Amino acid sequence: MIITDIQPRRRRLSQLYIDGEAAVKVDTETLLKSGLAPGDEIDDEQLHALLQDSAAHRAEEKALYLLEHRAHSKKELEDKITRAEFDREAARRAAEHMEELGLVDDEQYARRLAQELFERRKFGTRRVKQELRQKGIADDLIEAALEEFSTDRDETVETIRAILERKYPAAWEDEKTRRRAVAALQRYGYGFEDIFAALNAEPEE
């Protein structure tokens, strides 16, 4: 097979023409590093390697772009790259490379997210655990984060009571509001025992 032409395309891609026909688009930087030019011969193995290198480079660029905006867990980053029309293998390799560079750290990510969910969002332990699992955090890292930032029962009940006073002040008097409050607090990740402990305490004046 002969590369008969190379034409620039959008998004830093180049169109390769092989034996006079449009064949594949590859990352322009990867193509330049390969040294390939019109008139060169290329076999199937070389073309496959070029496409793999192109996908890997573009996936890493996508990873860096995502990490510029906010931190990601390794699994979350891999999933987002895959959804951006990259194959799973290229996405996995890009996420692993970001981890090797120290740009992805699931332990630190889990700690920061758990602290935010507990302290700012006022979520209960079950909801925090669910959120961390959805980000692909390993169970041992989840347990460590929960142990560091979760509160004891008295503090949990106090947090629930504060949510009730702020969002559902009528819950102590109106049954309909009480049911809505209980359902909402369950979604926050709190258990019935703690919810009713807070509801059975008198609201502050």
Side-chain angles (χ1 to χ4, degrees), residues 51-78:
L51 290 172
Q52 282 191 315
D53 290 344
S54 173
H57 183 263
R58 294 183 65 224
E60 288 185 6
E61 284 194 328
K62 183 65 177 181
L64 289 169
Y65 172 80
L66 292 169
L67 292 170
E68 282 179 3
H69 291 79
R70 69 167 178 85
H72 288 69
S73 69
K74 184 179 176 182
K75 180 65 165 56
E76 181 186 24
L77 186 64
E78 180 182 326

Side-chain angles (χ1 to χ4, degrees), residues 2-101:
I2 304 294
I3 298 175
T4 50
D5 196 9
I6 298 173
Q7 292 292 330
R9 293 293 183 262
R10 293 185 303 167
R11 297 165 62 184
R12 291 181 290 183
L13 294 174
S14 292
Q15 174 74 62
L16 264 65
Y17 290 81
I18 296 177
D19 295 334
E21 295 184 359
V24 294
K25 293 178 183 176
V26 297
D27 171 69
T28 298
E29 185 174 339
T30 303
L31 180 63
L32 290 172
K33 286 181 179 178
S34 73
L36 291 169
D40 290 344
E41 288 190 24
I42 187 170
D43 59 28
D44 288 334
E45 185 176 342
Q46 289 173 309
L47 183 59
H48 180 68
L50 179 65
L51 290 172
Q52 282 191 315
D53 290 344
S54 173
H57 183 263
R58 294 183 65 224
E60 288 185 6
E61 284 194 328
K62 183 65 177 181
L64 289 169
Y65 172 80
L66 292 169
L67 292 170
E68 282 179 3
H69 291 79
R70 69 167 178 85
H72 288 69
S73 69
K74 184 179 176 182
K75 180 65 165 56
E76 181 186 24
L77 186 64
E78 180 182 326
D79 288 345
K80 279 194 175 183
I81 296 170
T82 302
R83 288 198 297 271
E85 298 182 2
F86 292 94
D87 66 71
R88 176 63 67 173
E89 178 61 20
R92 183 187 63 77
R93 289 169 58 190
E96 287 181 350
H97 191 207
M98 297 302 108
E99 185 178 43
E100 292 168 1
L101 294 174

